[in-house]
Amino acid sequence: MEEIFSRINGAITTAELEEIRIAVMGKKGILTARFAELKNCDETQKKALAKELNLLKVEFEKALANKKEELSLRELQEKLQAQKIDVSLFSASNFRGSNHPIMLMLDKIVEYFEGMNFMVKTGPLVEDDVHNFEALNLPKYHPARDMQDTFYFKDGKILRTHTSPVQIRTMEAQKPPIRMICPGNVFRCDYDLTHTPMFHQVEGLVVENGKDSVNFANLKFILEDFLKYIFGDVKVRFRSSYFPFTEPSAEVDMSCIFCKGEGCRVCSNTGWLEVLGCGCVSENVFKAVGYENVSGYAFGLGVERFAMLAYSVPDLRAFFESDLRILEQFK
Ligand code: DAH
């Protein structure tokens, strides 16, 4: 046993200690073998031997435990030392993302209208014919349906072609007064230099009780104020136009922000940029949602166009190609 104790003392790993434990106390261990001798002894021998062996065993276990504690501590320290992390070291991967320009513009638009007490509403991307067309005064035979190349599903559902159906859904869900905008994606079967199959719009709707509570002048005021908020000091003009869901309808132009109205390539030398559609809500739309004795106005805009103008992005495709060299400029 003396030799065993000096082996314990000289051990340098806990694994080595475990080997020693097995050699002594394991099934074929030397102490185990001596305990087995007990059954061949007579009573008096047995007592003396048992005492001696138990003492040895206690001593052995104590020596083993002490050494184990010492070695475990050293091993832990070695491990910690090896895994040490220097938190002050420069990290090569400290890459920070940036907001997408479309989202930046959406946030700015929402910020303006929230400040004007508009609620932000959302609606489904997969729409039915009634909400996307019919209730907006666009019955099946209506030629204006051709203005929006539609994606159809087999069951007759469609991908919404504009955010205007959220006007209908909001009016169905609540009574006037309503002041809401709806930012969201819309889809059209169209793909070329200036069109993508998915793009973003913001819809606006205001409805008040009473036939004459809201009129075109209110609409003019808020859109002019809004365009100045987004683009700075621009001139704004309203051009008579046609949308089935508004009467009267207008398209809104602002003075070209690149040439200040002088005429350039971006504004096709007209000095004006078309940026919005709007009008007073048609009686037929109110009829479709069961509203009576109300008045209101609505407007709709394309977010990509706003972002292209405000951030001087010349090519629509830049928004969809995920080119980090472009996106990183919006940090
Ligand atoms: N929904 C129209 C479109 O996608 C945009 C629009 C025009 C919305 C006039 C309106 C509006 O609410 O009054 O082209």
Side-chain angles (χ1 to χ4, degrees):
M1 276 312 270
E2 274 313 306
E3 186 210 322
I4 293 290
F5 284 110
S6 62
R7 265 185 75 191
I8 291 177
N9 267 335
I12 48 169
T13 64
T14 48
E16 204 179 327
L17 281 185
E18 179 60 9
E19 269 170 35
I20 298 171
R21 190 192 64 77
I22 290 168
V24 176
M25 296 290 293
K27 252 191 203 156
K28 292 179 184 156
I30 49 176
L31 206 54
T32 313
R34 293 208 54 199
F35 272 105
E37 284 169 17
L38 283 173
K39 63 176 184 291
N40 304 325
C41 300
D42 62 34
E43 268 322 295
T44 42
Q45 276 177 324
K46 201 182 207 170
K47 224 175 175 178
L49 186 58
K51 194 173 171 191
E52 183 198 340
L53 291 180
N54 275 323
L55 274 175
L56 257 177
K57 187 180 168 204
V58 168
E59 223 176 304
F60 169 74
E61 280 173 346
K62 210 161 110 190
L64 205 62
N66 285 343
K67 192 69 184 175
K68 192 168 178 184
E69 194 181 321
E70 180 193 319
L71 291 181
S72 306
L73 199 69
R74 191 191 305 157
E75 280 170 14
L76 178 68
Q77 266 158 359
E78 277 166 10
K79 203 166 153 189
L80 286 177
Q81 196 62 34
Q83 293 179 346
K84 199 167 156 190
I85 294 169
D86 182 352
V87 289
S88 67
L89 268 183
F90 173 74
S91 150
S93 61
N94 70 8
F95 174 77
R96 270 185 79 196
S98 51
N99 275 335
H100 192 280
I102 296 296
M103 288 302 140
L104 284 178
M105 180 46 77
L106 263 176
D107 283 352
K108 204 163 172 198
I109 295 170
V110 169
E111 182 180 88
Y112 173 82
F113 284 106
E114 276 186 337
M116 286 298 196
N117 250 344
F118 282 64
M119 307 280 285
V120 176
K121 300 279 182 188
T122 54
L125 305 185
V126 177
E127 262 298 1
D128 51 50
D129 196 273
V130 171
H131 288 92
N132 197 84
F133 292 124
E134 226 147 299
L136 287 161
N137 198 25
L138 270 153
K140 287 239 154 54
Y141 57 81
H142 202 293
R145 283 201 179 197
D146 288 349
M147 284 158 68
Q148 305 184 354
D149 300 301
T150 311
F151 286 112
Y152 287 92
F153 291 101
K154 283 208 180 89
D155 62 1
K157 288 255 169 83
I158 57 169
L159 286 176
R160 69 178 182 194
T161 57
H162 50 177
T163 40
S164 303
V166 185
Q167 285 189 30
I168 304 299
R169 291 192 176 273
T170 306
M171 288 191 279
E172 282 173 343
Q174 68 185 78
K175 293 263 158 285
I178 290 172
R179 282 171 91 79
M180 76 89 174
I181 54 163
C182 167
N185 333 38
V186 300
F187 306 86
R188 291 189 200 174
C189 191
D190 209 351
Y191 191 38
D192 58 33
L193 275 184
T194 52
H195 297 88
T196 48
M198 188 282 291
F199 57 103
H200 299 79
Q201 285 189 337
V202 175
E203 190 78 14
L205 173 72
V206 170
V207 184
E208 291 283 350
N209 283 306
K211 275 260 172 254
D212 302 311
S213 306
V214 181
N215 58 36
F216 207 91
N218 304 123
L219 170 64
K220 266 189 88 175
F221 170 81
I222 198 149
L223 290 183
E224 213 173 308
D225 191 50
F226 162 63
L227 289 173
K228 290 193 159 125
Y229 179 81
I230 302 286
F231 294 105
D233 189 22
V234 287
K235 280 195 224 110
V236 178
R237 74 176 185 187
F238 287 69
R239 221 173 354 92
S240 168
S241 183
Y242 173 76
F243 297 104
F245 26 90
T246 44
E247 178 60 40
S249 304
E251 267 166 333
V252 186
D253 299 340
M254 65 176 184
S255 51
C256 179
I257 48 175
F258 299 104
C259 62
K260 305 273 177 263
E262 301 269 300
C264 68
R265 204 178 53 88
V266 181
C267 62
S268 309
N269 282 316
T270 61
W272 294 96
L273 297 164
E274 183 191 318
V275 285
L276 271 154
C278 65
C280 289
V281 180
S282 156
E283 269 309 310
N284 285 343
V285 172
F286 285 142
K287 221 181 271 169
V289 294
Y291 274 16
E292 275 173 13
N293 194 28
V294 293
S295 48
Y297 62 76
F299 54 88
L301 63 91
V303 184
E304 276 75 3
R305 181 154 173 79
F306 267 56
M308 282 172 83
L309 295 173
Y311 306 136
S312 302
V313 177
D315 190 334
L316 178 66
R317 290 168 298 186
F319 293 139
F320 300 97
E321 284 173 347
S322 305
D323 185 336
L324 288 183
R325 288 169 306 176
I326 292 171
L327 298 179
E328 277 183 348
Q329 295 173 38
F330 293 90
K331 268 185 191 164

